[in-house]
């Protein structure tokens, strides 16, 4: 049977909603997260349009390294061993892939 009573209800599964839900659950509270979109992530998720993928909002989160703010948060909610950090491309800020080729965005 599905639980019908929770200590907390979180509306939205963006970064803020998932962060507070993780903190509450890690402290022993029962939490229900409700999301109106088909996938979690809020503005940190992607939108698919045919073969193309677009970001809704932030593409990179700075401070994402084990001793940085994001790493410390993940450690606080016991998720630091389950998340792998990826380094940005050292040669450019981003690479945009188009049907005609790739374009490197310089720093």
């Amino acid at each position: 049977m599905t639980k019908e009573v929770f200590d907390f209800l979180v509306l939205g599964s963006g970064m803020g909603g998932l962060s507070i839900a993780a903190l509450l659950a890690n402290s022993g509270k029962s939490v229900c997260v409700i999301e109106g979109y088909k996938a979690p992530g809020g503005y940190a998720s992607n939108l698919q349009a045919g073969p193309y993928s677009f970001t809704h909002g932030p593409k990179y989160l700075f401070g994402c390294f084990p001793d940085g703010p994001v790493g410390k948060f993940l450690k606080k909610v016991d998720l630091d061993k389950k998340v792998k950090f990826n380094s940005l491309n050292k040669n450019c800020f981003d690479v945009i892939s188009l049907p005609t080729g790739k374009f490197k965005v310089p720093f």
Side-chain angles (χ1 to χ4, degrees), residues 7-102:
D7 295 322
F8 290 90
L9 174 66
V10 177
L11 302 177
S13 64
M15 290 188 291
L18 291 177
S19 296
I20 194 64
L23 287 168
L24 290 166
N26 193 55
S27 72
K29 303 296 182 187
S30 62
V31 182
C32 177
V33 178
I34 296 177
E35 172 58 50
Y37 189 58
K38 63 182 177 181
Y43 282 115
S45 65
N46 290 336
L47 168 68
Q48 286 294 134
Y52 303 103
S53 178
F54 302 93
T55 56
H56 285 138
K59 184 165 182 165
Y60 300 112
L61 297 176
F62 295 95
C64 285
F65 48 93
D67 293 328
V70 175
K72 289 177 182 177
F73 174 80
L74 292 171
K75 189 171 186 170
K76 184 172 184 139
V77 295
D78 297 324
L79 292 174
D80 56 315
K81 304 288 188 241
K82 295 182 179 183
V83 174
K84 179 184 170 195
F85 291 98
N86 293 318
S87 297
L88 293 174
N89 187 321
K90 294 177 182 164
N91 300 316
C92 61
F93 181 75
D94 198 359
V95 177
I96 299 172
S97 297
L98 301 170
T100 55
K102 293 185 178 184

